[in-house]
Amino acid sequence: GEIFYFGEEPFEGKGAFIRDKKELVLRIEEEEVYDMSSFKLAGLHNKLNYGAAALSARLLGAKKDALSQ
């Protein structure tokens, strides 16, 4: 299988991370950036949870426009 990394700091390779606490970056085949400036839940941990769920959903076949906050 493939390895997908996840975290709050940018890294090389495939996976997801939060950039500047306001953007979710997914790297699967190409880089996808999602604005999180209007994210309603407080705390970085909630943004990370959203990032993990979004990465999982995309890997399982969800379309880009299906990811909403």
Side-chain angles (χ1 to χ4, degrees), residues 2-46:
E2 277 189 271
I3 296 174
F4 290 87
Y5 297 96
F6 176 77
E8 61 183 278
E9 298 293 326
F11 54 81
E12 295 296 320
K14 294 182 177 183
F17 62 90
I18 307 297
R19 181 169 39 212
D20 300 326
K21 298 183 182 178
K22 58 186 173 184
E23 291 181 325
L24 170 63
V25 178
L26 299 183
R27 289 187 187 139
I28 300 170
E29 295 302 322
E30 57 187 44
E31 188 169 286
E32 304 171 14
V33 179
Y34 298 90
D35 180 23
M36 297 185 79
S37 61
S38 63
F39 193 74
K40 294 177 176 49
L41 297 176
L44 179 60
H45 66 287
N46 283 316

